[in-house]
Amino acid sequence: ARHRGNRSPRAPPRPHPRGRAMSGGPGHFPGTASLVEEIDKRLLVVLRDGRKIIGTLRSFDQFSNVVLEGSVERIIVDKRYSDIPLGLYVVRGENVVLLGPLDEEKEANLEHLERVGVDEILAAKKAEEEAERLKAELSKHLRMDWFKEDDLV
């Protein structure tokens, strides 16, 4: 190879301690390398807003955006759960908190939870969220009352 000016030819990649090249190249996805092993497997993805999505990983990119096929949103309230079908689902990588293979043995053995219909679980979720909202509001008022009493002393 001919050199131009003071540029040197590209040095070969340094060997990785485990025998793999450390530099990029075809098939190298920094930060998402472990996802290659999860292609065509059922995954559980926990999102920033707390939703839990279960589906088969079909594709991903360098930003950890993932494409799930046959996906469902699993909603669990107390000892009840339901799966809401989503179909083919694209998840933006920045919304992923946790991603991992689904334990099929545990998935098949959900006897400690009662499977209910979608309408029932959505109503239960709404009631749970309303109870949490009221609890937070009451706690806020109690703190405000406590501070007011402190000011009087």
Side-chain angles (χ1 to χ4, degrees):
R2 196 177 155 158
H3 302 320
R4 292 187 188 178
N6 58 4
R7 293 186 354 196
S8 63
R10 183 174 176 213
R14 295 180 314 196
H16 188 275
R18 294 191 190 108
R20 297 183 305 257
M22 290 177 66
S23 69
H28 178 74
F29 300 100
T32 57
S34 64
L35 287 179
V36 172
E37 298 166 2
E38 305 303 328
I39 291 284
D40 296 332
K41 292 184 183 170
R42 295 215 1 113
L43 298 181
L44 168 65
V45 181
V46 179
L47 304 180
R48 278 194 320 191
D49 62 4
R51 288 184 294 159
K52 296 161 200 72
I53 310 295
I54 297 171
T56 303
L57 181 65
R58 291 299 180 208
S59 184
F60 68 93
D61 64 13
Q62 69 271 24
F63 304 109
S64 296
N65 298 321
V66 295
V67 177
L68 301 172
E69 183 180 55
S71 60
V72 297
E73 178 183 352
R74 173 149 306 158
I75 299 176
I76 302 172
V77 178
D78 297 324
K79 297 280 186 182
R80 299 173 290 172
Y81 81 98
S82 187
D83 291 338
I84 300 173
L86 302 172
L88 190 64
Y89 205 71
V90 179
V91 180
R92 191 173 167 100
E94 68 181 27
N95 292 317
V96 175
V97 173
L98 180 72
L99 182 143
L102 191 65
D103 187 337
E104 295 295 341
E105 188 175 307
K106 287 184 180 178
E107 180 69 10
N109 189 16
L110 292 175
E111 59 195 32
H112 60 284
L113 295 174
E114 175 190 0
R115 186 179 194 117
V116 297
V118 173
D119 293 337
E120 184 177 338
I121 202 70
L122 290 175
K125 181 180 179 185
K126 186 174 181 179
E128 182 182 61
E129 289 170 349
E130 180 65 15
E132 284 294 319
R133 188 189 67 75
L134 290 172
K135 184 178 172 183
E137 193 174 306
L138 180 61
S139 177
K140 179 181 172 184
H141 285 297
L142 288 174
R143 280 194 307 269
M144 290 174 71
D145 289 345
W146 184 76
F147 283 120
K148 287 178 186 174
E149 287 177 13
D150 257 6
D151 291 343
L152 296 175
V153 177

